[in-house]
Amino acid sequence: MATMYYEEDAPLAPLAGQKVAVIGYGSQGHAHSQNLRDSGVTVAVAELPDTANYKLAVEHGFEPTDIAAAMDGARLIIVTLPDEIQATVYEGQIAPNLRGGQTLGFCHGFNIHFKYIVPPKDVNVVMIAPKGPGHLVRSEYVKGGGVPCLVAVEQDATGDAKAVALAWANGIGGARAGVIETTYKEETETDLFGEQVVLCGGLSALIKAGFETLVKAGYQPEIAYFECMHEVKLIVDLMYQGGLSYMRYSISNTAEYGDLTRGSRIITEQTRAEMKKILGEITSGAFAKEWVAEYRSGLKKFNALYNADHDGQLEQVGRRLRKMMKWIDAKEV
Ligand code: NDP
Ligand code: MG
């Protein structure tokens, strides 16, 4: 059984009356900053001036500064910069301002686990990794809930690194949902695997392949969109509430028989072998190396792949259909 922490195990006390610096006001940064502040913690935000997220932080009542000023006197420094730029910003602006006894906090283990960042021994290195997008970390908190988190301690210089991390989890609402104890290694590897194989890579590819199969066979793209994309949420909502069993209870017997007999023909032995291969690329560090090299050489492949989907038929049809469904709060990027 995993070790889990809830609010009573994660007192806010280690951060009460203390300053917390949040570096980067993006998806996670805006949520951690506002949730911690609403929990009574003093929050200093660092953002780049003249950016949209700087303006957003100001709208939310913060006075963003540079990194040095935000870090000055902070008990906890939460790094919510994109993973691919963290090492550069760390070298240039975080490391020179780090003081012994401070706690460095990450939301994902990538840079520590793969050693793109190696902090000095006299600081704590912890992680609170919310298992959900930043915007939900905020909206669930506002509703009185929270997004489950993982906690890991890589370095404990002061003897209370875990207590500081758990207070952070409490302050963002994560301890309401449950905080699972893990290591940087386990979090980093399972997070990368989940997003590549199931949540983002696997699911997007499944939706696209289903949509394209129907359209190529001559069916109307609008029907293919509803069938292969829109309904995914409705099915996943049922799984979220009651697992596969509740989803199967809700769908028709015909759908259930199709599910039980056809699913294993889509996820074949070959697919499972590929999943294992992808996990190997993650654990060996080959994926991390490839991603950092792609970022440093100007994101050509990244942008080409992104644009092909962004301008593709699935997205065009979806944009049009979502505009007609006022209640879904359609977004365009
Ligand atoms: P975002 O890209 O959403 O936000 C990063 C923010 O940092 C942006 O506002 C960016 O500004 C700002 N920034 C960039 N450079 C600097 C700088 N030099 N000084 C100050 N601010 C800067 O990142 P995420 O929130 O997605 O990711 C943050 C961390 O959280 C990552 O480690 C990620 O793996 C982890 N995580 C993210 C999740 C998510 O849902 N997104 C889920 C769980 C973990 P600008 O936009 O103006 O460039
Ligand atoms: Mg993840």
Side-chain angles (χ1 to χ4, degrees):
M1 274 290 284
T3 304
M4 306 261 323
Y5 301 98
Y6 292 94
E7 281 181 291
E8 61 273 22
D9 318 307
L12 206 58
L15 292 180
Q18 303 276 349
K19 174 179 172 185
V20 172
V22 178
I23 316 289
Y25 202 77
S27 176
Q28 289 295 331
H30 90 287
H32 292 239
S33 300
Q34 294 182 89
N35 293 6
L36 283 166
R37 180 177 63 186
D38 291 350
S39 295
V41 175
T42 305
V43 174
V45 170
E47 243 304 333
L48 297 171
D50 304 320
T51 60
N53 285 335
Y54 183 100
K55 283 191 205 98
L56 191 65
V58 171
E59 273 169 37
H60 292 166
F62 293 103
E63 291 172 17
T65 61
D66 63 11
I67 290 175
M71 284 176 65
D72 187 27
R75 176 91 204 266
L76 169 67
I77 298 139
I78 302 176
V79 182
T80 49
L81 298 165
D83 296 309
E84 64 278 15
I85 75 162
Q86 284 182 12
T88 309
V89 177
Y90 177 83
E91 287 304 324
Q93 296 168 72
I94 297 177
N97 296 300
L98 252 186
R99 300 290 170 259
Q102 283 186 312
T103 299
L104 259 184
F106 294 86
C107 296
H108 174 41
F110 190 95
N111 284 284
I112 294 291
H113 176 63
F114 293 117
K115 301 204 170 0
Y116 292 104
I117 293 176
V118 182
K121 286 292 165 210
D122 62 351
V123 303
N124 297 331
V125 180
V126 304
M127 167 167 52
I128 291 297
K131 291 287 100 181
H135 293 89
L136 264 86
V137 173
R138 180 57 183 161
S139 62
E140 292 291 300
Y141 177 90
V142 170
K143 283 195 278 182
V147 169
C149 293
L150 304 186
V151 61
V153 176
E154 181 79 5
Q155 270 179 212
D156 186 3
T158 60
D160 64 350
K162 197 203 276 182
V164 173
L166 289 173
W168 166 18
N170 183 327
I172 62 168
R176 294 170 179 163
V179 183
I180 306 181
E181 181 146 307
T182 185
T183 58
Y184 263 74
K185 174 178 160 60
E186 185 179 51
E187 186 280 336
T188 303
E189 293 174 354
T190 54
D191 189 71
L192 292 172
F193 181 83
E195 66 203 19
Q196 292 177 22
V197 169
V198 180
L199 305 171
C200 310
L203 185 58
S204 305
L206 182 67
I207 290 170
K208 267 196 301 179
F211 175 83
E212 285 164 9
T213 301
L214 285 178
V215 171
K216 276 200 188 115
Y219 298 100
Q220 299 180 71
E222 291 79 5
I223 292 180
Y225 174 85
F226 280 127
E227 206 53 62
C228 299
M229 172 83 106
H230 183 80
E231 265 198 64
V232 168
K233 174 178 162 45
L234 311 181
I235 292 295
V236 169
D237 280 349
L238 298 171
M239 294 179 175
Y240 182 81
Q241 283 186 291
L244 296 177
S245 304
Y246 182 60
M247 181 275 286
R248 286 172 177 160
Y249 162 82
S250 180
I251 63 180
S252 70
N253 293 342
T254 311
E256 194 173 345
Y257 181 71
D259 162 3
L260 294 169
T261 58
R262 266 50 182 179
S264 62
R265 287 171 54 187
I266 298 303
I267 305 302
T268 60
E269 281 310 314
Q270 196 193 335
T271 315
R272 286 172 190 269
E274 203 59 37
M275 287 183 178
K276 221 175 139 190
K277 199 167 145 197
I278 289 174
L279 182 58
E281 291 164 8
I282 291 166
T283 55
S284 73
F287 171 77
K289 216 168 147 190
E290 177 187 323
W291 167 220
V292 169
E294 171 68 15
Y295 175 70
R296 291 189 178 154
S297 65
L299 297 173
K300 279 191 260 336
K301 179 165 143 193
F302 182 106
N303 288 327
L305 291 168
Y306 177 87
N307 288 333
D309 276 352
H310 184 267
D311 303 335
Q313 190 180 19
L314 172 66
E315 288 292 87
Q316 288 182 23
V317 172
R319 252 171 240 134
R320 197 155 35 76
L321 292 173
R322 287 190 295 269
K323 274 206 188 100
M324 304 307 291
M325 296 184 275
K326 299 296 176 209
W327 66 94
I328 70 168
D329 187 22
K331 310 273 191 203
E332 257 199 54
V333 286

